[in-house]
Amino acid sequence: MAQVYRGGQPYPAGYPGRLTPHEVRTRDFAACRRGVDPDEVREFQARVSDELAMLNETVRLLSQENDRIKRALRDWQTMHARECSPAPEQGRNTGRW
């Protein structure tokens, strides 16, 4: 399988890299006889680019929040483990089985 490149860089592990808002906004399409209106294409590219930028920012903020919550949970677990006394040792299992 041939290595695919984007922006002069190979895709990591064969997977495509993330599409950036700049790539969407600056992509050019070949002209054809019965093509689409270039102004409409540029308008659509701008809308998609703005949406992609907003989604990337949302993902970044959610990732930060996720890291913060994980740290808080770890800290709470550590504090709780230090404060709680160990469970009393049980003797042999006195259950039926």
Side-chain angles (χ1 to χ4, degrees):
M1 185 168 132
Q3 183 70 38
V4 181
Y5 290 83
R6 166 181 264 151
Q9 299 295 323
Y11 286 152
Y15 295 106
R18 287 191 174 166
L19 189 62
T20 65
H22 178 73
E23 288 175 318
V24 171
R25 195 176 293 272
T26 59
R27 174 76 160 94
D28 287 328
F29 298 94
C32 62
R33 188 182 343 187
R34 292 187 176 181
V36 293
D37 182 15
D39 293 334
E40 287 182 27
V41 172
R42 294 286 175 227
E43 181 182 317
F44 181 75
Q45 282 179 303
R47 286 179 47 209
V48 170
S49 175
D50 293 343
E51 178 88 12
L52 187 57
M54 183 188 68
L55 291 173
N56 285 341
E57 179 64 15
T58 302
V59 167
R60 187 185 68 76
L61 292 173
L62 289 174
S63 179
Q64 287 177 347
E65 179 71 4
N66 188 26
D67 290 342
R68 186 191 67 76
I69 290 171
K70 283 180 182 179
R71 279 193 310 275
L73 177 60
R74 250 191 326 267
D75 293 345
W76 180 86
Q77 287 172 329
T78 301
M79 180 194 65
H80 187 68
R82 287 181 188 145
E83 290 178 357
C84 292
S85 60
E89 287 293 319
Q90 296 289 331
R92 277 183 62 184
N93 187 357
T94 57
R96 182 173 170 200
W97 303 106

